[in-house]
Amino acid sequence: MKLLAYSLEKGDVRATVLSEAEDVRLYGGVRGAIEACIRLIAREKELDQFVMPRVTRMEEKADGATEFDFDAAVAPAVELGPYLGLEVYVPADERPDLPVLRAAAESLRADIPETYISRKTDALVRERMDDIFRRTAFGSLADMYAILRRAAQELDCGRSDDELWDLAVSVAGDTNGGGLRLRTEDDIVNALGAVLFPDGTDAKNLAVIQSALEKRAEEKRGEDVEKLARESFDAYLRLAGKTEEGLRQEFREQALELVRIDLLIDEVARREKLTLSDEEFDAALNAIANMYDIHVSEVLEQIGAASLRAQLIRDKARAMIVDSANTF
């Protein structure tokens, strides 16, 4: 392994590494070699470990070596304030968990690396994307826009991209408002033809739109869920007049609050020396398996025993803080 570049600033790590062919052989492949290199670098820098490492670039060399960039963080020192027996106001329509944890995290002191906030922001954006994907309205809007763009290009009808977007919004609004719900493809083709050619269209134009609709359906059958989710999300952003970077800025304060709560829970678990018995672990493992109607081996394969055990200990710390509070 060769460390080609390295920086550590305010707890944020950036590095470029060459994982040599021997590393790849020794650690059973590229992924194993990368993970091993990251661990070795942390050890060389006299750090326990890097937190949340993420490979941002990877280039395989002709000789079997792999050059890669990664970023990560160093866990900050955390100083806790009071966290047990807090008096916290909880609105009648809320669970006490978040208000209590917020109150306990207010007095926490830590120099939080930007990587922590960025990763949490990533998670919040992903949650929003998943939520948008579950809403068929945005998928329909993405479909109408794609069909109109394809048809307009073939028909050369002189519509700008912004005009096509506005037309897609109008048709998708009718579709999701009930006007075209459960109607035939002919109804959708006619609606698209009517907005594309408000002065009247003909069979040739409708045939082109029909073809565009069929090609869109064919493309979607070949696309993975991630690409479809991204298309719906892009439609949401454009409709809302937002950018992804703007959305990330909106989420920043929420992300910082959640990071502080995470640090609080982890430090309480450490300070209180919380542990998990084998019986508790097995009970939780079986409960998850029963919830999703899968075998316990599948749960362990998807989550990992160490990750599950760590999360269960965090759950204990969380419950300790919340259950000790006096809420009103």
Side-chain angles (χ1 to χ4, degrees):
M1 177 199 76
K2 293 181 180 178
L3 183 57
L4 305 178
Y6 177 83
S7 68
L8 171 59
E9 184 177 355
K10 297 181 179 179
D12 295 304
V13 175
R14 302 288 182 273
T16 300
V17 185
L18 181 67
S19 173
E20 297 176 291
E22 180 60 28
D23 299 320
V24 176
R25 287 191 293 271
L26 180 62
Y27 294 106
V30 172
R31 179 174 177 179
I34 288 175
E35 291 173 351
C37 288
I38 292 173
R39 289 195 301 269
L40 288 170
I41 293 167
R43 195 175 308 154
E44 286 182 4
K45 299 299 180 180
E46 298 182 347
L47 301 166
D48 289 337
Q49 64 177 354
F50 293 132
V51 181
M52 298 176 287
R54 178 180 62 184
V55 174
T56 56
R57 181 186 67 87
M58 187 171 67
E59 178 185 349
E60 295 191 30
K61 303 292 187 178
D63 63 356
T66 300
E67 184 178 304
F68 67 95
D69 299 336
F70 78 90
D71 55 33
V74 176
V78 176
E79 183 179 330
L80 292 177
Y83 59 87
L84 294 178
L86 300 175
E87 291 192 357
V88 181
Y89 168 72
V90 179
D93 59 345
E94 285 189 30
R95 288 171 51 86
D97 301 52
L98 192 54
V100 170
L101 293 170
R102 279 176 178 151
E106 279 181 3
S107 56
L108 177 146
R109 297 180 63 184
D111 293 325
I112 300 173
E114 185 64 30
T115 298
Y116 274 74
I117 303 169
S118 177
R119 297 289 196 276
K120 187 64 72 173
T121 303
D122 290 344
L124 292 172
V125 171
R126 182 72 229 190
E127 286 178 14
R128 177 63 59 86
M129 183 184 294
D130 291 343
D131 175 61
I132 293 300
F133 188 46
R134 288 191 291 269
R135 303 186 196 180
T136 58
F138 295 104
S140 176
L141 176 54
D143 289 340
M144 297 302 108
Y145 178 54
I147 294 166
L148 282 170
R149 287 186 66 191
R150 185 187 295 273
Q153 183 176 10
E154 187 168 343
L155 292 168
D156 194 22
C157 57
R159 295 282 192 169
S160 69
D161 183 73
D162 286 342
E163 287 178 307
L164 294 172
W165 170 257
D166 290 340
L167 297 178
V169 170
S170 69
V171 175
D174 288 340
T175 300
N176 290 288
L180 292 172
R181 185 170 292 175
L182 300 180
R183 297 282 187 90
T184 65
E185 286 187 1
D186 285 343
D187 293 314
I188 297 176
V189 169
N190 288 330
L192 292 171
V195 295
L196 201 54
F197 300 101
D199 295 331
T201 186
D202 55 31
K204 178 184 176 182
N205 292 341
L206 293 177
V208 170
I209 297 171
Q210 174 70 41
S211 175
L213 185 150
E214 291 170 355
K215 288 178 181 176
R216 172 64 177 174
E218 183 179 351
E219 286 175 351
K220 289 182 67 175
R221 284 192 291 270
E223 290 176 355
D224 58 27
V225 171
E226 184 66 27
K227 188 171 187 299
L228 294 174
R230 166 53 64 177
E231 289 179 350
S232 293
F233 188 55
D234 288 344
Y236 156 76
L237 290 173
R238 187 166 182 177
L239 188 64
K242 300 177 183 287
T243 64
E244 187 167 342
E245 183 56 36
L247 187 64
R248 291 179 64 83
Q249 287 301 317
E250 289 179 25
F251 280 143
R252 182 177 174 81
E253 285 303 313
Q254 182 184 354
L256 178 58
E257 178 181 77
L258 293 174
V259 166
R260 291 177 64 82
I261 290 173
D262 284 346
L263 292 173
L264 163 77
I265 291 171
D266 287 339
E267 183 61 18
V268 168
R270 187 194 66 80
R271 181 178 293 194
E272 298 288 344
K273 297 180 173 63
L274 297 181
T275 59
L276 194 73
S277 69
D278 291 340
E279 291 76 14
E280 289 174 315
F281 179 81
D282 290 340
L285 182 60
N286 284 307
I288 296 171
N290 290 334
M291 180 185 302
Y292 294 101
D293 194 25
I294 58 177
H295 194 271
V296 292
S297 62
E298 293 183 64
V299 178
L300 292 174
E301 183 179 342
Q302 294 179 26
I303 301 176
S307 295
L308 178 57
R309 187 174 290 274
Q311 183 56 53
L312 293 172
I313 291 174
R314 296 183 81 253
D315 290 345
K316 273 192 169 185
R318 182 187 185 99
M320 174 185 289
I321 299 166
V322 174
D323 293 345
S324 73
N326 300 308
T327 58
F328 60 93

